[in-house]
Amino acid sequence: MSNTPVPTPEEAVAAKRYMVMNLVRLCAIVAVGLGIAIAREVIALPYALGVALAVAGLVAFFFLPVMLAKRWKAGDRGEQ
């Protein structure tokens, strides 16, 4: 038998949200990498697509987790 405590529902929700935020950041890093590869012509796609993908990845990395946290916090308080 294991001595690990059973997480409360609040802890389970927090863990899921943490995983989602980190997955968003990881996907954003992948988008930046692909964008750079396209812009450097490692992948044969239009240059503008590479730049747009890299910029979108940077914006997503820095701002999307913050927006998710604010939305979740407002939902926890019952605001919309």
Side-chain angles (χ1 to χ4, degrees):
M1 185 141 213
S2 175
N3 291 339
T4 58
V6 177
T8 64
E10 293 84 15
E11 290 173 337
V13 169
K16 286 180 185 178
R17 289 177 178 178
Y18 180 76
M19 292 293 285
V20 168
M21 288 175 63
N22 283 315
L23 185 61
V24 165
R25 286 188 177 119
L26 180 63
C27 290
I29 290 171
V30 169
V32 170
L34 281 174
I36 291 171
I38 292 169
R40 302 275 315 229
E41 297 179 357
V42 174
I43 299 173
L45 289 172
Y47 176 81
L49 177 66
V51 171
L53 191 58
V55 169
L58 283 172
V59 170
F61 181 84
F62 287 109
F63 297 110
L64 198 54
V66 174
M67 290 171 36
L68 283 172
K70 285 182 181 180
R71 184 178 181 123
W72 288 331
K73 190 178 288 189
D76 289 345
R77 284 186 261 155
E79 300 172 6
Q80 290 293 332

